[in-house]
Amino acid sequence: MRRGLFVSCLLAAFSLFAEEAPAPAPAAPAPPAPPAARLVPSGQFSVRDGKTALSVALDTDLPVQSVVQIYLWRHQASTTGVPSMKLVESKRFLLDAKRPAPLEILLSSELPPGRYQAEVSFDSQSQYPAVKAKFQGAGVLKAPLELSVGSGEEIALEAEWGESRVEGALRRLDEIRGTLAKGGASTEVSCRRLGWLSERLGKVGASNPVQQIWFPASEAAIKQVCDGLLAGAGAAESLPGALEEAARVRPDLDRLYAQELTQKTMQDLQHWLVFVHQEYWLNKTYGRLTPEQWKAFRDEKLARLDEMLAHYTAYADPKDPCRSAIAAQCPSLVPDCVDTLRKLQGSYDRDLEKQLSKPGITSQQLTHTAQILFQKAGLGDPRH
């Protein structure tokens, strides 16, 4: 009896406590989401008063007094394969009652052929107070628009650089020669292609990451052939002679390019020798590198020789008629020099093991052999 009475009292106490306990506070309402904004650009390039203009029509529900920024980017060529873009122009606009009218940027210079991207940006934090309050928390809204200038072939010509540019020019030249030989209505198209090719040779493209012409003699020679064909195509009776002359000098273009490619590679090997020679004997004197760093340096320099040789010998690709023709003109200077420099680095290592303070007899003989190879490539002694 007493136990039942105790349990009843305990349950009553718990019931009383539950009735008196405060109810949990209701959860705070979630802040309202910022209103979504429609931002859909369309546009085109045009020419006004001799200058290129970018016109962008904006389909948007942004309110009057909104500020938008338009950026124009150019897709860049890349030495690493990683895409990049370069800013060409930008301008801020205030949307007003006339906002259905296109927003226009008058560019300061002519746009070269290439792929471009216009981007419309709305930054909710860089607005007038009323617009900023309405779009609080919206962040930055961006809407891209892809555009291009020139034909696909013109864009490819503009983007090419280094040795690929010469190879591409030679391939196009061969294609155009074949089309011109057939005659007919395609002559006009072939002449236009020749004009594009001639115009870009000998110049650094705006999207070119290497701001120099690597093979100037080759580009000048190809340009001369293009101009000769253009002149010959102006009259039906002179075209056969122009085609015959172009065919006659075509092997010379492969030979000239092989010479320039060989000389450039040999120059890179010459720079390798100067740097490695300097580092071996400076480190011998001053001990600037730890044993681990020194091993990494030596391994890296041997790997660099392998890279230069692999790049050069890639021109023996039988699947590529242009490359195989060029490879047939390449002498053995580069493989011979790489072999000599490998032996020289090994000889330097043995000199250090013998505690010599300067290159030994074998190292001097190998250096002399390398210098003879450099001279055959038309390079002088870099120390003079």
Side-chain angles (χ1 to χ4, degrees):
M1 174 75 70
R2 291 179 181 177
R3 184 177 179 184
L5 182 61
F6 175 76
V7 171
S8 299
C9 292
L10 186 62
L11 290 174
F14 273 120
S15 174
L16 182 63
F17 176 79
E19 290 176 1
E20 294 178 355
R38 186 174 71 254
L39 205 61
V40 183
S42 60
Q44 62 182 5
F45 292 115
S46 60
V47 178
R48 289 183 46 197
D49 302 325
K51 290 188 175 183
T52 302
L54 169 63
S55 298
V56 176
L58 193 59
D59 177 13
T60 184
D61 54 5
L62 289 172
V64 172
Q65 296 297 301
S66 295
V67 177
V68 297
Q69 183 100 13
I70 296 181
Y71 300 91
L72 178 63
W73 305 86
R74 179 171 57 241
H75 291 274
Q76 293 289 94
S78 171
T79 59
T80 62
V82 178
S84 63
M85 292 196 294
K86 180 179 180 180
L87 181 64
V88 177
E89 201 83 64
S90 70
K91 186 176 179 180
R92 290 166 66 90
F93 294 90
L94 179 66
L95 301 184
D96 54 21
K98 299 178 182 179
R99 69 172 180 247
L103 309 175
E104 187 173 271
I105 301 178
L106 197 60
L107 304 174
S108 57
S109 58
E110 183 180 356
L111 293 179
R115 295 185 301 112
Y116 294 83
Q117 179 178 289
E119 181 184 83
V120 181
S121 174
F122 170 78
D123 185 351
S124 62
Q125 296 302 304
S126 300
Q127 302 295 323
Y128 287 106
V131 177
K132 183 176 181 179
K134 181 177 180 179
F135 289 91
Q136 189 70 36
V140 180
L141 307 178
K142 296 181 179 180
L145 170 64
E146 295 296 327
L147 299 165
S148 64
V149 174
S151 68
E153 185 172 31
E154 285 182 293
I155 293 171
L157 281 167
E158 179 67 27
E160 285 175 351
W161 57 276
E163 60 266 31
S164 65
R165 176 154 129 163
V166 175
E167 295 165 43
L170 289 173
R171 290 191 193 95
R172 289 185 176 86
L173 177 59
D174 290 341
E175 292 169 3
I176 295 169
R177 284 170 52 223
T179 305
L180 282 174
K182 296 177 183 177
S186 60
T187 298
E188 182 180 347
V189 175
S190 296
C191 289
R192 185 163 64 247
R193 293 182 68 196
L194 281 171
W196 292 339
L197 194 56
S198 176
E199 173 64 24
R200 281 158 183 76
L201 288 168
K203 296 180 181 178
V204 175
S207 62
N208 192 327
V210 180
Q211 296 300 306
Q212 66 185 63
I213 302 300
W214 281 359
F215 306 102
S218 296
E219 292 201 20
I222 299 171
K223 180 179 177 66
Q224 186 175 0
V225 175
C226 290
D227 293 342
L229 282 172
L230 267 174
E237 64 276 8
S238 59
L239 180 56
L243 285 169
E244 183 179 346
E245 176 62 16
R248 185 186 68 81
V249 302
R250 178 62 181 84
D252 297 336
L253 301 180
D254 290 331
R255 190 175 303 111
L256 178 59
Y257 179 50
Q259 290 172 356
E260 280 199 290
L261 177 65
T262 298
Q263 187 174 64
K264 182 180 183 301
T265 307
M266 290 293 285
Q267 193 169 47
D268 292 340
L269 291 170
Q270 190 179 54
H271 294 160
W272 181 97
L273 172 57
V274 171
F275 182 73
V276 167
H277 173 88
Q278 170 183 286
E279 290 303 305
Y280 260 78
W281 306 107
L282 279 177
N283 197 66
K284 164 66 178 174
T285 303
Y286 298 105
R288 301 184 300 178
L289 302 177
T290 65
E292 293 76 15
Q293 291 172 326
W294 181 243
K295 182 181 183 304
F297 169 82
R298 289 155 58 198
D299 291 346
E300 191 275 330
K301 291 306 161 188
L302 283 175
R304 177 62 182 144
L305 285 178
D306 293 338
E307 289 173 5
M308 288 189 279
L309 179 61
H311 179 80
Y312 183 78
T313 55
Y315 286 83
D317 182 0
K319 297 180 182 178
D320 187 332
C322 179
R323 283 199 167 208
S324 59
I326 294 166
Q329 302 290 342
C330 290
S332 64
L333 284 175
V334 170
D336 291 346
C337 190
V338 168
D339 182 61
T340 299
L341 295 180
R342 282 200 192 104
K343 292 176 180 177
L344 178 58
Q345 185 170 347
S347 181
Y348 279 172
D349 289 335
R350 289 187 291 274
D351 291 342
L352 293 184
E353 290 172 2
K354 296 175 184 177
Q355 298 295 311
L356 299 183
S357 60
K358 63 180 181 179
I361 297 298
T362 302
S363 296
Q364 294 177 34
Q365 291 172 343
L366 289 168
T367 301
H368 180 68
T369 300
Q371 295 294 355
I372 292 175
L373 294 173
F374 294 142
Q375 290 170 12
K376 288 182 179 180
L379 301 174
D381 189 333
R383 294 171 297 181
H384 296 157

